[in-house]
Amino acid sequence: MATAAHLISSNLPSVKQLQCFLAVAHELNFRRAAERLNMTQPPLTRHIQSLEALLRQPLFSRSTHAVSLTEAGRALVARAEKILADLDALSAASLSRQDRLRIGLTRTLDFTRMQPVGARLAQLDAGDDIDSPDLTSARLLQCLAQNRLDLVLTGEKGAGDEENVRYRWICREPLLIALPTTHPASQQQQLSLDEVSDLPLFWFARRANPAFFDKCEQVFARLKTPLKKVKEPDDSLTMLAHIARGKGFALLPQSKCAFNQEGLCYRPLCDDQAQQLNIDVYAATRHDDARPALMLALEKLSDGAP
């Protein structure tokens, strides 16, 4: 069978170039993209530059403070995702096994420190048969809708997608206050947000998780003193270092409160606010996917859940 000349050309983008491009396109941050790909930033940058040279047009607009997609970059995202998805579908495992599950876990939580959910996830571990990308809840639900994942564990439900997405409640994760030990409230066993309202709150953009954002904002609106909010750093360790130096406080999932540093402490919320400020964890799947392997995974994850 004859092969078209352009299909064997040496001027085609490489898989690695497309992977690097998509990582930067999703993160809009070269450092975080490099971390996702387990590589350093210089080779990532070289792959992007080579791809732009090959396509003869810039894919990203870069400034000192921000990275954004150009029009050409936005057009390439969907095509690159399809190319890589099609390549993934060619693997022997996906061609021969219909029970292969692609599972995504929200990066907001550390499921290894959430029992019994962590143990139930371990029971589903089938080595290379399970993919576990580490993304925000909003991005995981996008991947689910695009048929790039089969099951995701997300913090709170997505907005307006319940016609296409099946949600099953798994557990509730408490939030703790991370605050400087120099603050007087650190001497108490439980805290109200009003007691730390003199400190700025490190907070995130609503688009990362609209449902959780709105849940928290409803509680914030009832506080005696309005909270001053500052943008949380991209790196959580940097944020915790700022808190240890007295620069603010944060609300963190209990499973993410394992990092210890001089000047930093964690305290539970008072009972009333703890009932309102938490993260409901759901397993989300597509309504049209009822494979036995998927249904079994749902049953295992929600075992004992009401």
Side-chain angles (χ1 to χ4, degrees), residues 162-175:
E162 294 199 44
E163 287 188 7
N164 301 312
V165 178
R166 175 198 303 117
Y167 287 99
R168 184 173 295 194
W169 188 88
I170 300 298
C171 66
R172 179 165 291 158
E173 172 76 339
L175 296 179

Side-chain angles (χ1 to χ4, degrees), residues 107-127:
R107 69 184 183 192
T108 304
L109 305 172
D110 182 352
F111 288 98
T112 64
R113 296 174 53 83
M114 293 173 59
Q115 298 305 328
V117 179
R120 294 171 190 161
L121 275 171
Q123 292 175 8
L124 300 182
D125 187 11

Side-chain angles (χ1 to χ4, degrees), residues 111-179:
F111 288 98
T112 64
R113 296 174 53 83
M114 293 173 59
Q115 298 305 328
V117 179
R120 294 171 190 161
L121 275 171
Q123 292 175 8
L124 300 182
D125 187 11
D128 292 336
D129 290 345
I130 291 185
D131 299 324
S132 298
D134 185 27
L135 303 170
T136 65
S137 292
R139 183 63 188 142
L140 284 173
L141 291 170
Q142 290 176 6
C143 291
L144 182 69
Q146 295 164 357
N147 198 18
R148 297 176 57 207
L149 291 172
D150 303 310
L151 183 153
V152 302
L153 290 187
T154 176
E156 306 296 338
K157 295 181 180 180
D161 59 1
E162 294 199 44
E163 287 188 7
N164 301 312
V165 178
R166 175 198 303 117
Y167 287 99
R168 184 173 295 194
W169 188 88
I170 300 298
C171 66
R172 179 165 291 158
E173 172 76 339
L175 296 179
L176 302 184
I177 295 179
L179 74 158

